[in-house]
Amino acid sequence: MTQTVQPAFAQHLTTNPKSAAEREAILANPGFGDHFTDHTAVVDYKVDAGGEGGWSNARIEPYGPIAMDPAAAVLHYGQEIFEGLKAYRHADGSVWSFRPEANAARFNTSARRLALPELPEETFVESLRQLVSVDVDWVPGKDGEALYLRPFMIATEAFLGVRPAREVSYRVIASPAGNYFGGELKPVSIWLSTGFARAGEGGTGEAKCGGNYAASLAAQMEAEAQGCKQVLFLDPFNDNAIEELGGMNIFFVFKDGRLVTPALNGHILHGITRSSVMQLAADRGMKVEERKITIDEWRDGVAAGDITEAFACGTAAVITPIGELKTADGVIASPGSGAGEVTMAIREQLLGIQTGAVEDLHGWLTRLA
């Protein structure tokens, strides 16, 4: 598919932005995903009569409802994808994002799987820069806070035939964000799902699409009913191998200095925080292993003292220590009641890089404003 796009984003700014007082009230307690900035970035895609597709009409416009035909393909066949990343305000007032090129690449991986057009990576990054530059006053500056960016692509063509849509909309919205789990960082409890699967062989597990998350919600509700913040999914056809949580990847710290995470197998999302954690752990001299790890190994490893810490990671929550794993039969694993030393050291280093407090040795930061 043709990937042409106009080089400049036109600006059609809102005439009714939030007042400074309204914005400051929101930033005083932003929550997570509860409030949105004044604008959105948009780029259109259409296939012409000759079968050639292209991107056009890149623009910044006021945030608001999307006018959509009731027959739009996204509403009937779920043809959509999304990403998640953050913009961080540094001490000098500048605003930076963390590895947006990796998000752009993963976005296109998801697009290919959902039969959507790929977006040029430079357009992806520029859309973030344009939106953040316009809404820069929305970027919070307190510890643990950031502007969460949500790029997404939806099929907007109105038709009821089962085929890839010929009209698509790419958009970015932004939301000031505090701690994902709220309040002080504490180890979370995880619920072991045995009746639900997050993804299957040949499915969309590697794609970041809404259907994967919708499929996790029943299990997530089950977890919440048990007093847990997240749910853990297994592969019952592979010795109950651990895969990932409902929205995060998982790591295990062994007493001999190894860091172990489930290997990418087509079911597991290629987490950008995940790959960053692996690099930082290797930088610290840890042996990093991507391999099959089963629920039995977790249980036995904790009992024997071989597994000393477990943590989850993702863009929204960054790194969160796991306090215990619960099942219908009770608690079967508890690596420790508090946040582990390795978990917190990597977390602080990662956050330090993102916020500019720690040197970025890998060139992961991109300035947006």
Side-chain angles (χ1 to χ4, degrees):
M1 293 181 179
T2 303
Q3 294 189 6
T4 56
V5 64
Q6 63 187 56
F9 278 67
Q11 290 194 353
H12 309 292
L13 303 187
T14 181
T15 58
N16 187 33
K18 289 282 196 304
S19 69
E22 289 175 305
R23 187 174 61 247
E24 289 307 311
I26 290 171
L27 293 180
N29 184 24
F32 192 94
D34 298 324
H35 306 279
F36 299 92
T37 68
D38 294 311
H39 297 91
T40 179
V42 187
V43 191
D44 298 328
Y45 177 88
K46 188 172 183 177
V47 176
D48 63 23
E52 289 294 320
W55 293 98
S56 65
N57 196 21
R59 62 198 184 275
I60 299 295
E61 65 182 31
Y63 179 94
I66 300 173
M68 188 180 301
D69 194 289
V74 66
L75 302 177
H76 301 272
Y77 307 116
Q79 202 182 4
E80 65 82 42
I81 58 173
F82 68 96
E83 270 299 322
L85 66 163
K86 291 178 177 177
Y88 301 87
R89 189 177 293 282
H90 287 192
D92 64 357
S94 60
V95 179
W96 300 72
S97 61
F98 181 75
R99 304 187 66 186
E101 297 84 2
N103 288 96
R106 187 173 67 181
F107 194 67
N108 281 336
T109 296
S110 298
R112 290 191 292 271
R113 182 62 184 85
L114 273 293
L116 287 162
E118 294 181 45
L119 182 76
E121 291 187 8
E122 60 272 20
T123 303
F124 181 99
V125 175
E126 185 61 19
S127 70
L128 308 179
R129 183 176 287 111
Q130 291 285 330
L131 180 58
V132 171
S133 295
V134 168
D135 285 342
V136 69
D137 289 340
W138 283 91
V139 183
K142 292 184 289 187
D143 288 346
E145 296 181 346
L147 185 67
Y148 184 81
L149 302 171
R150 170 52 58 86
F152 63 100
M153 188 188 296
I154 56 175
T156 54
E157 183 185 2
F159 76 102
L160 296 180
V162 182
R163 59 163 173 77
R166 299 186 182 117
E167 294 180 13
V168 167
S169 179
Y170 166 75
R171 294 171 177 263
V172 187
I173 56 177
S175 173
N179 189 298
Y180 183 72
F181 289 118
E184 181 184 352
L185 179 68
K186 298 178 180 178
V188 295
S189 295
I190 305 297
W191 174 253
L192 178 64
S193 174
T194 56
F196 298 97
R198 179 189 168 275
E201 193 69 27
T204 58
E206 285 187 332
K208 199 167 178 66
C209 61
N212 291 344
Y213 293 80
S216 75
L217 294 181
Q220 181 67 32
M221 291 172 63
E222 189 178 80
E224 291 173 359
Q226 299 297 325
C228 297
K229 292 288 190 179
Q230 273 283 334
V231 60
L232 175 70
F233 291 101
L234 306 177
D235 182 353
F237 304 105
N238 188 23
D239 300 323
N240 283 325
I242 294 166
E243 297 212 313
E244 65 174 280
L245 307 186
M248 294 185 284
N249 297 112
I250 189 168
F251 282 88
F252 301 92
V253 179
F254 282 69
K255 70 177 182 181
D256 62 5
R258 287 177 294 147
L259 184 67
V260 178
T261 192
L264 301 176
N265 57 6
H267 307 173
I268 298 173
L269 187 69
H270 293 227
I272 293 163
T273 307
R274 174 186 181 274
S275 64
S276 304
V277 166
M278 292 168 59
Q279 180 63 63
L280 294 180
D283 292 346
R284 298 170 66 87
M286 298 183 72
K287 181 180 179 182
V288 180
E289 296 179 0
E290 293 181 88
R291 63 171 175 82
K292 172 180 168 181
I293 180 167
T294 67
I295 197 66
D296 287 340
E297 183 179 357
W298 188 358
R299 180 194 299 110
D300 296 343
V302 169
D306 294 326
I307 295 178
T308 57
E309 302 174 36
F311 64 87
C313 72
T315 297
V318 190
I319 292 176
T320 300
I322 297 173
E324 60 183 5
L325 178 68
K326 296 182 179 179
T327 75
D329 300 320
V331 177
I332 64 171
S334 181
S337 58
E341 180 180 347
V342 174
T343 299
M344 295 308 294
I346 295 177
R347 184 179 191 275
E348 289 170 10
Q349 184 180 9
L350 181 60
L351 280 171
I353 294 170
Q354 292 170 338
T355 59
V358 172
E359 185 179 1
D360 174 22
L361 298 176
H362 297 285
W364 284 338
L365 296 179
T366 295
R367 185 167 182 169
L368 298 182

